[in-house]
Amino acid sequence: MATKPDDILRRPLYVYDLPGVVLEGLTVKADTDSAHIVNEEPAPTPSENLVGSQACALCGMAFSSLQEQRSHLKSDFHNYNLKQRMRNRTPVSETEFEKLIEDLDESLSGSDSEEDDDEEDKDEDDRRQDSTLTALLKKQARLADKRAAGDGGDASDESSLGRRGRGKPPLIWFSSPLLPENHYFGLYRALLTGEDQRHSDLVHVLRRKQVEPVTVPKPAKDGTLAATAYKGPHVFLCMIGGGHFAAMVVSLAPRAAKGNTAMNREATVLAHKTFHRYTTRRKQGGSQSANDNAKGAAHSAGSTLRRYNEQALVDDVRALLRDWKALLDTSELLFVRATGVTNRRTLFGPYEGQVLRHNDSRLRGLPFSTRRATQNELMRSFIELTRLKVREVVPEKETKEAQQPRAPPRSAGSKAPKPKLEEEEETALLHTSQLQAFIRRSKVPALLSYLANHGLSADFEFRPVDQNHHSPRPLHLAASQNSPPLVLGLLTRGGADPCVQNAEGKTPFELAGDRGTRDAFRVARSELGEAKWAWDAANVPAAMTKAEADGRGERERSEADKKEAERRKAEEERLRTEGPKVVEKKAKGNTLGSSLAKTPQERREEETRGLTADMRMKLERERRARAVEERLRRMKSG
């Protein structure tokens, strides 16, 4: 029965055992560099068991457990991206971060085990040792200083930070008639040797790499596989960092299920091993050797243990590589993830009996982000490497059009955004606030000085106009504030126009609320003259000199004082003849009983109305006690 294309694409496609219908229609896509790849990052595999919010949106990573998420949040990689976000810069991927710190002798991650917390380390050192993040930020700060100084030190520092050219993309894309429009198959370039990549027909190379399924015999009692399992093609994967080491050799031949039915895509692990040594001080990062090189050797029990574990880890790793030398020599590719100079020196030496070498043409890095070196992480990396990707690749022109920002639709109930004010309008608002503050505080010299310094007219119109319709100009506001000095100063020294009307058609004189402010207008009319302004149109009465205004004010004050003195004299005469007035309180109500005097018994009952029996008894005892005291006092005096 023929297999439908949808059924083929629904299951994972193993690079070394692709169906014939997939291989027949493959064509290399040549213009991948000028296209935008949608969802280029690998999707989490079902084996990761992602749960809920166990992910980091900033770094674009997901985690299989809460412990791994906590470890990531404490890592230098996450903290560096936080610094990038605070500086309004784009966060980097883990691969880019490792390139930035590849020349720093630091470790990316420390031990996350609770048992690794050494109590003796608390008294070891008061200062926190420089971590990878601190060293990287210091290096970037030095680079920024050199750029600002223009001393020409950019080239060397750029290379030291690992900022290399773009290079080739990690994936090679193939088109196929089995896929929808703008969808392509992706193959990691790291799976191809140098000779394969130089070949003119990559589809032919991919056909040659197909491996026949094999039936793997059951392992022996000691765990070793049969010799036939080691004869097929296989690859070596290795990770080291933070005291963790994991390595395995995986066969590329797929397993065959019974009955010659569908293939089981599980990998056959020929050998695997993991180590962990306590080499990194908890929550601080950085190896003990790096701390010794920076600050000198510490002499605590914890530092001694970490030094011993560092050397023990080196010995264990090199011994394992020597034991696996036959497998490594026959491996098609060597995938190594080693961060930091110390970790690379552990693998690549030089040392006696060296197995891995820097110049090995089979050596590859992992072209995607990885986590702590564990067996599960190695298997996840192998699955990611050997699965054919299906991605949507959109042409660059369409991507730019799609990325153009569109104005979001505004709902009917939402308020329209405030229009941006022009520079002149903002300046007018500033002048308005300053002038109104001077007027309300009656600061005549400050007001006139501000007008002169900023070249403003005394008839400056306040902004916004609709909010100052009652007092649109300084003279209107001064008159409404009943400030004669301000009115006189604006008219005589500032040159304000008294004929200007507000929105209600009133002149400044009509806003004055007391005689002193109105007299200030008349004094200004006298000092400026009749020809200066149309005083009658401004409703200002006849002119009055300042002496007359002051004299009238003095006369009014003297008359008021005289009337007050006469009133006091008449009151004193009345007190001498009649005595103080006693206001008799009239009884409330119109009943007949309200005009009759109450008996003592009635007054006592009225006093005790509303009281409890105990309160009445207490009040009666106090009344009798006062009566006894009064009789005794009379007896003594009589």
Side-chain angles (χ1 to χ4, degrees):
M1 183 177 63
T3 306
K4 296 182 180 180
D6 293 342
D7 296 337
I8 296 175
L9 299 178
R10 192 175 292 114
R11 64 183 182 181
L13 296 176
Y14 185 52
V15 171
Y16 294 94
D17 186 26
L18 294 174
V21 292
V22 175
L23 288 172
E24 290 175 0
L26 288 181
T27 306
V28 179
K29 178 175 171 54
D31 56 344
T32 306
D33 293 342
S34 62
H36 176 72
I37 301 171
V38 180
N39 192 20
E40 182 178 356
E41 289 295 327
T45 58
S47 61
E48 290 183 57
N49 297 326
L50 300 180
V51 179
S53 60
Q54 293 180 7
C56 178
L58 178 62
C59 303
M61 298 181 65
F63 310 97
S64 58
S65 65
L66 184 60
Q67 188 68 22
E68 290 186 5
Q69 184 183 20
R70 290 176 177 174
S71 174
H72 168 75
L73 296 178
K74 298 176 184 178
S75 65
D76 295 332
F77 170 48
H78 180 76
N79 291 329
Y80 180 78
N81 278 337
L82 286 178
K83 296 286 185 181
Q84 292 288 95
R85 178 62 61 84
M86 292 171 62
R87 298 172 181 173
N88 294 326
R89 298 178 182 175
T90 305
V92 300
S93 64
E94 190 170 4
T95 304
E96 295 171 344
F97 180 71
E98 289 174 355
K99 289 181 180 179
L100 290 175
I101 62 169
E102 64 180 354
D103 292 332
L104 301 176
D105 189 9
E106 301 289 340
S107 173
L108 271 178
S109 61
S111 173
D112 289 337
S113 176
E114 294 294 337
E115 290 79 12
D116 293 337
D117 190 8
D118 192 353
E119 295 296 336
E120 297 182 6
D121 291 341
K122 295 180 180 179
D123 300 330
E124 175 183 346
D125 198 351
D126 293 337
R127 296 183 305 168
R128 180 188 177 97
Q129 65 183 28
D130 290 341
S131 63
T132 305
L133 177 61
T134 306
L136 177 59
L137 293 177
K138 287 182 179 179
K139 202 164 192 177
Q140 290 182 340
R142 289 196 299 269
L143 175 61
D145 293 341
K146 289 184 179 180
R147 285 177 177 172
D151 58 355
D154 294 348
S156 60
D157 287 337
E158 285 285 350
S159 61
S160 65
L161 282 176
R163 295 185 179 178
R164 302 171 181 172
R166 180 179 179 182
K168 297 181 180 180
L171 289 168
I172 301 175
W173 299 99
F174 298 87
S175 60
S176 174
L178 301 176
L179 298 176
E181 185 180 1
N182 292 335
H183 284 71
Y184 300 88
F185 286 119
L187 171 69
Y188 275 111
R189 192 182 299 271
L191 293 176
L192 304 178
T193 63
E195 183 180 355
D196 294 338
Q197 296 184 32
R198 290 188 295 270
H199 199 281
S200 58
D201 189 359
L202 293 180
V203 178
H204 178 68
V205 172
L206 190 57
R207 289 194 182 100
R208 287 189 311 177
K209 287 187 173 294
Q210 301 304 301
V211 182
E212 291 294 331
V214 296
T215 302
V216 180
K218 293 183 179 181
K221 293 182 179 180
D222 57 355
T224 58
L225 297 174
T228 56
Y230 297 93
K231 294 181 180 180
H234 53 270
V235 295
F236 170 76
L237 294 93
C238 168
M239 295 182 185
I240 183 172
H244 296 266
F245 173 82
M248 72 177 183
V249 179
V250 189
S251 175
L252 297 179
R255 292 182 181 180
K258 294 181 180 180
N260 197 20
T261 56
M263 300 297 175
N264 188 347
R265 309 299 178 185
E266 293 182 1
T268 302
V269 179
L270 304 180
H272 66 88
K273 189 66 176 179
T274 58
F275 295 122
H276 171 56
R277 294 283 186 173
Y278 171 49
T279 62
T280 304
R281 189 175 181 183
R282 186 170 180 262
K283 295 184 180 180
Q284 289 201 0
S287 61
Q288 184 62 43
S289 59
N291 183 69
D292 294 342
N293 294 334
K295 302 179 181 179
H299 301 287
S300 67
S303 62
T304 304
L305 179 61
R306 287 189 290 272
R307 288 192 202 95
Y308 171 80
N309 286 335
E310 282 185 6
Q311 187 59 40
L313 180 63
V314 172
D315 296 339
D316 292 341
V317 171
R318 291 178 178 177
L320 177 68
L321 295 178
R322 284 193 294 269
D323 294 340
W324 287 7
K325 188 176 186 305
L327 288 174
L328 269 62
D329 291 342
T330 57
S331 295
E332 288 193 355
L333 296 172
L334 307 174
F335 292 95
V336 177
R337 168 60 55 83
T339 304
V341 177
T342 303
N343 294 325
R344 291 197 296 272
R345 189 183 299 118
T346 301
L347 297 177
F348 302 107
Y351 62 92
E352 185 179 356
Q354 182 176 345
V355 179
L356 296 177
R357 300 185 182 277
H358 281 290
N359 56 358
D360 195 331
S361 60
R362 302 172 298 165
L363 201 60
R364 299 284 189 275
L366 296 175
F368 45 81
S369 299
T370 58
R371 295 189 286 272
R372 175 183 293 174
T374 60
Q375 181 70 22
N376 291 335
E377 184 63 16
L378 283 177
M379 181 56 66
R380 187 192 72 85
S381 300
F382 175 78
I383 294 174
E384 174 63 26
L385 276 171
T386 57
R387 290 295 183 266
L388 202 63
K389 309 295 179 295
V390 178
R391 298 286 186 272
E392 181 182 2
V393 182
V394 182
E396 188 176 9
K397 295 182 180 179
E398 298 181 6
T399 305
K400 290 183 178 179
E401 293 177 359
Q403 290 179 352
Q404 289 180 354
R406 298 180 180 178
R410 185 164 55 90
S411 59
S414 61
K415 296 182 179 179
K418 295 183 179 180
K420 188 176 181 180
L421 299 177
E422 298 181 357
E423 184 177 358
E424 296 180 357
E425 189 69 19
E426 292 181 356
T427 305
L429 289 174
L430 177 61
H431 291 328
T432 298
S433 61
Q434 294 293 332
L435 293 175
Q436 290 179 349
F438 290 141
I439 293 173
R440 290 191 175 95
R441 290 182 291 176
S442 298
K443 302 291 185 180
V444 181
L447 174 64
L448 298 176
S449 177
Y450 187 87
L451 293 173
N453 293 337
H454 293 83
L456 300 178
S457 171
D459 295 325
F460 175 80
E461 187 175 9
F462 295 147
R463 305 293 175 83
V465 179
D466 55 344
Q467 296 182 8
N468 298 278
H469 63 279
H470 181 70
S471 302
R473 301 180 189 272
L475 188 58
H476 287 84
L477 184 59
S480 64
Q481 294 289 325
N482 296 326
S483 178
L486 276 175
V487 171
L488 188 60
L490 286 172
L491 287 171
T492 58
R493 299 166 59 185
D497 186 1
C499 302
V500 179
Q501 298 179 351
N502 61 7
E504 300 171 357
K506 294 183 179 181
T507 62
F509 179 82
E510 294 174 326
L511 298 180
D514 59 0
R515 181 186 294 275
T517 306
R518 290 191 290 269
D519 288 347
F521 282 94
R522 300 178 65 182
V523 171
R525 181 174 183 175
S526 173
E527 294 182 0
L528 296 176
E530 297 293 334
K532 179 66 176 176
W533 305 107
W535 298 101
D536 294 335
N539 297 325
V540 178
M544 176 187 294
T545 62
K546 187 172 181 57
E548 292 176 351
D550 294 341
R552 188 171 70 168
E554 187 66 27
R555 287 196 303 271
E556 290 179 353
R557 285 192 294 272
S558 61
E559 290 177 0
D561 294 342
K562 184 177 180 181
K563 289 181 179 180
E564 180 65 18
E566 291 177 355
R567 187 192 66 79
R568 291 182 178 181
K569 185 177 180 180
E571 183 68 16
E572 291 176 358
E573 289 291 336
R574 188 191 63 78
L575 289 175
R576 280 196 297 268
T577 57
E578 300 179 2
K581 292 183 178 180
V582 179
V583 180
E584 296 181 358
K585 294 183 180 180
K586 296 182 179 180
K588 295 182 180 180
N590 297 325
T591 59
L592 180 62
S594 61
S595 59
L596 300 177
K598 295 181 180 180
T599 62
Q601 181 62 26
E602 291 176 346
R603 288 198 298 271
R604 285 195 295 271
E605 291 178 355
E606 185 176 357
E607 291 176 358
T608 59
R609 186 178 295 118
L611 300 179
T612 62
D614 295 338
M615 296 175 66
R616 290 195 189 97
M617 188 178 298
K618 185 177 180 180
L619 183 61
E620 186 65 23
R621 285 199 298 268
E622 291 178 355
R623 187 182 293 111
R624 291 179 181 179
R626 286 196 298 270
V628 171
E629 291 176 357
E630 181 66 19
R631 285 197 298 271
L632 292 175
R633 185 180 62 79
R634 290 178 181 177
M635 290 174 61
K636 290 180 180 180
S637 60

